[in-house]
Amino acid sequence: MPFSKKILAVAAVGAAIVVAPSSGRANIEYPWCAVYGGDFGGASNCGFTTWEQCMATVSGIGGFCDRNQFYTGPEPAQPRRVKRKRPNG
């Protein structure tokens, strides 16, 4: 192999290593999935952080949103009720 081809091969491998995603990022899970219909069983995309974001994606193209059954993160915080003090009297 000529010297210039060796340099090109080393550069290509180096670029592939730099661009390849790390294994830690591949396991990111989001709580909402868009489920698309189709003749061949459809598809799903579990990359949504909110139900509204998911619904905006399926709007106009068909499908629905469902909770990701593999999501292991924290549940969304529920709004707290504020107790109001009643005036004495």
Side-chain angles (χ1 to χ4, degrees):
M1 184 183 275
F3 184 71
S4 62
K5 287 187 178 182
K6 286 181 183 179
I7 292 176
L8 183 60
V10 169
V13 170
I17 291 171
V18 170
V19 175
S22 67
S23 61
R25 294 183 64 120
N27 294 328
I28 294 175
E29 298 169 353
Y30 294 99
W32 292 100
C33 298
V35 182
Y36 310 105
D39 295 336
F40 303 105
S44 64
N45 174 3
C46 296
F48 302 98
T49 56
T50 65
W51 182 80
E52 292 82 6
Q53 182 186 35
C54 180
M55 287 301 293
T57 301
V58 299
S59 176
I61 61 173
F64 60 95
C65 295
D66 198 9
R67 286 199 175 265
N68 182 353
Q69 64 181 347
F70 300 107
Y71 179 67
T72 57
E75 288 295 317
Q78 297 294 325
R80 293 184 176 197
R81 288 187 175 176
V82 177
K83 291 184 180 180
R84 295 185 184 181
K85 293 183 179 181
R86 293 184 184 179
N88 293 334

